[in-house]
Amino acid sequence: MSVRRTVSLITLGCARNEVDSEELAARLEAAGWQTGDDEPDVVVVNTCGFIDSAKKDSIDTLLAAADSGAKVVAAGCMAERYGAQLAEALPEATVISFDDYTDIGARLDDVLEGRSLVPHSPRDRRTLLPITPVERSASAAHIPGHGALADDGLPAGVAPASGPRTLRKRLSGGPVASLKLASGCDRRCTFCAIPAFRGSYVSRRPDDLLAEAEWLAGQGVRELVLVSENSTSYGKDLGDLRALEKLLPRLAETKGIERVRVSYLQPAELRPGLLDVIASTEGVAPYFDLSFQHASGPVLRRMRRFGDPARFLDLLARIRERAPEAGIRSNFIVGFPGETQEQFDELVAFLEEARLDVIGVFGYSDEEGTEAYAFDGKLSQDVVDERVAALTELAEELTTQRAEERIGTELEILIEEDLGDGGYEGRAAHQGPEVDGAVTVQGIGLVPGQIVQAVAVDSEGVDLIARIKAGA
């Protein structure tokens, strides 16, 4: 009689991590582990290692899991980035690498049985893949979240009689799910360590993505959110820079999928053809998650990025010319080494003119292994904090104004939650999940996953209040 083995997965950080956790959950169940137990034998924390606040949250979560009495495993970005260093600093947890994911059931067996695992030494995962993008698909390096299809242990090239199955188990319900387009990044932004521990850019095959989209639709998903470190690079390693333009209409035609949303777009790589497809394809949300990071040209060049206020405003004008109702969001780093008051003021002036729906503000912090870590011209923490506070206050004012501009406009709302007493919460096409605000509507007999036509009648900050259109 087999021993019951239980595991709980805690996911921190971005939507990409959520996809990785759902692949881990599928691999664990295939290995005989039961997921989602309230008193698990093992807790796996899928950590985030991007910035200091995320790393602190990861440490706190690992320590809290250890206090529960369960065995604790640190997986994910922070574990990959620090390896043996994290294991030494946090003996409460067993640290694993991305390379352990394909045999995660056996690794947790080792943890449960008290067999020691040697933590990995951190390495630059870009070295595991060929420099030439089109040669990367032949690499044997494991890439989390890319286990699209499982063959149930049959020899390579032989599919089970019922056909390949998606190697993923949903860990949360609801009508929205992320679909990972690609992993890694080939950009060399001076503030970012992600390429070193996530590796070079690797796209998933269109057929794998379409198969997973069909599977998600069968799980009750109605909106797909396409995620990656850089969605505008999708297909370059497949030999087709127009791959995303071709993929989006096919995903939107998937039976059961009502809306497809793309995130993580690089402004410098947003080609006119892709802009047109996002702005005008039925079933694709006219939504632009643009990674501006700053507006001052000199600051952007120090970041090893491209652009300036004139170019960014021109891009926004071209988007709104094609889709006046488009949702546009971006994140910005303030206090970057060498940022002058004049350059900060240039960012402020850009935001006042840009009319973005959502503005994320982050203060610069040093990250080991990045080029900016060694830069001169570091600003004092007091100055960084002052600029963060000032820009955050402005962002709240500007995004509130932008929401008010939408009062009176028609909205296509995906219902996500029944609030009771005839109230429902959902999101319009211009709102991404979790971070972009929501819409509250009154109705009778609505259900999560349903799309309703409504008119915005009021706003509260970035959130909207809507009334269902008569006859809709």
Side-chain angles (χ1 to χ4, degrees):
M1 180 176 178
S2 61
V3 178
R4 181 170 176 268
R5 298 166 294 166
T6 59
V7 58
S8 176
L9 290 102
I10 300 174
T11 306
L12 305 176
C14 64
R16 301 184 294 278
N17 264 14
E18 293 173 4
V19 176
D20 296 351
S21 288
E22 294 191 346
E23 181 185 318
L24 285 176
R27 290 184 181 278
L28 284 165
E29 287 206 340
W33 285 77
Q34 180 177 320
T35 60
D37 197 277
D38 291 335
E39 296 183 359
D41 300 312
V42 180
V43 175
V44 176
V45 180
N46 191 349
T47 60
C48 180
F50 183 38
I51 56 177
D52 282 343
S53 59
K55 287 182 278 189
K56 183 181 183 302
D57 189 24
S58 294
I59 294 293
D60 291 344
T61 303
L62 288 163
L63 291 173
D67 287 343
S68 72
K71 303 279 189 179
V72 179
V73 172
C77 292
M78 187 178 182
E80 182 64 40
R81 184 176 181 183
Y82 294 103
Q85 181 182 345
L86 177 62
E88 182 178 356
L90 198 71
E92 293 88 346
T94 298
V95 177
I96 64 172
S97 167
F98 291 151
D99 296 324
D100 293 309
Y101 282 20
T102 55
D103 204 15
I104 187 65
R107 295 292 75 74
L108 264 59
D109 287 342
D110 292 335
V111 171
L112 192 59
E113 296 300 323
R115 294 187 287 269
S116 61
L117 300 177
V118 178
H120 64 282
S121 296
R123 55 181 170 173
D124 189 333
R125 290 191 72 86
R126 289 171 293 192
T127 63
L128 303 181
L129 293 168
I131 294 175
T132 305
V134 294
E135 297 176 356
R136 292 173 187 164
S137 61
S139 173
H142 178 65
I143 303 171
H146 283 223
L149 303 175
D151 60 8
D152 293 322
L154 295 175
V158 179
S162 59
R165 60 184 178 82
T166 294
L167 190 59
R168 182 169 177 178
K169 173 185 169 61
R170 293 203 74 195
L171 295 175
S172 60
V176 183
S178 296
L179 179 63
K180 184 178 277 193
L181 275 178
S183 288
C185 187
D186 286 342
R187 300 183 70 90
R188 295 295 180 264
C189 301
T190 57
F191 56 83
C192 184
I194 289 175
F197 57 83
R198 276 290 185 179
S200 298
Y201 195 87
V202 180
S203 303
R204 293 178 62 192
R205 298 281 177 182
D207 287 348
D208 285 351
L209 292 167
L210 291 164
E212 189 166 332
E214 291 179 3
W215 180 83
L216 287 167
Q219 298 287 311
V221 171
R222 296 296 171 259
E223 178 177 315
L224 299 174
V225 182
L226 309 187
V227 299
S228 69
E229 274 76 20
N230 175 8
S231 296
T232 38
S233 280
Y234 178 74
K236 71 175 187 177
D237 51 322
L238 303 178
D240 186 359
L241 289 175
R242 297 185 60 241
L244 186 55
E245 299 170 36
K246 299 172 183 176
L247 175 67
L248 285 171
R250 296 178 69 190
L251 287 171
E253 291 170 357
T254 302
K255 185 178 180 180
I257 297 300
E258 301 284 352
R259 180 188 289 164
V260 179
R261 184 183 304 276
V262 189
S263 58
Y264 305 107
L265 302 169
Q266 292 290 342
E269 298 179 23
L270 185 55
R271 297 170 299 280
L274 179 57
L275 191 161
D276 286 339
V277 167
I278 296 174
S280 61
T281 302
E282 184 176 355
V284 176
Y287 176 81
F288 293 82
D289 176 13
L290 299 168
S291 180
F292 286 133
Q293 302 299 349
H294 209 279
S296 167
V299 174
L300 286 165
R301 287 191 288 275
R302 284 196 295 275
M303 291 178 170
R304 209 181 298 283
R305 297 178 67 83
F306 306 95
D308 54 44
R311 293 180 188 179
F312 290 166
L313 290 171
D314 177 68
L315 174 59
L316 297 177
R318 286 188 281 122
I319 290 171
R320 288 173 174 140
E321 179 183 2
R322 290 160 177 78
E325 77 286 4
I328 308 175
R329 76 174 323 275
S330 191
N331 294 326
F332 298 88
I333 298 173
V334 297
F336 193 75
E339 180 192 63
T340 66
Q341 182 63 48
E342 290 74 20
Q343 290 164 347
F344 176 74
D345 292 342
E346 191 174 12
L347 172 58
V348 168
F350 166 74
L351 289 177
E352 289 175 337
E353 192 170 353
R355 295 171 53 241
L356 303 180
D357 290 279
V358 179
I359 300 168
V361 180
F362 299 88
Y364 171 79
S365 63
D366 275 333
E367 289 295 321
E368 309 97 321
T370 64
E371 191 176 343
Y373 188 81
F375 279 3
D376 294 329
K378 300 286 176 63
L379 279 62
S380 72
Q381 192 60 50
D382 286 345
V383 171
V384 174
D385 291 345
E386 288 172 6
R387 292 182 182 177
V388 168
L391 203 68
T392 299
E393 182 177 359
L394 175 66
E396 291 175 354
E397 177 183 343
L398 294 173
T399 53
T400 295
Q401 291 174 4
R402 180 66 182 131
E404 291 171 351
E405 292 177 5
R406 292 189 180 273
I407 295 174
T409 63
E410 295 188 4
L411 306 173
E412 189 175 75
I413 303 169
L414 173 67
I415 301 298
E416 294 185 332
E417 184 179 358
D418 184 345
L419 302 176
D421 297 325
Y424 298 84
E425 183 175 277
R427 285 178 302 103
H430 73 275
Q431 297 169 315
E434 298 183 4
V435 292
D436 287 3
V439 184
T440 302
V441 296
Q442 293 293 124
I444 299 174
L446 304 182
V447 294
Q450 181 179 355
I451 295 277
V452 298
Q453 306 297 321
V455 176
V457 296
D458 202 354
S459 64
E460 295 179 355
V462 297
D463 297 327
L464 294 174
I465 299 169
R467 182 184 65 247
I468 295 178
K469 290 179 62 178

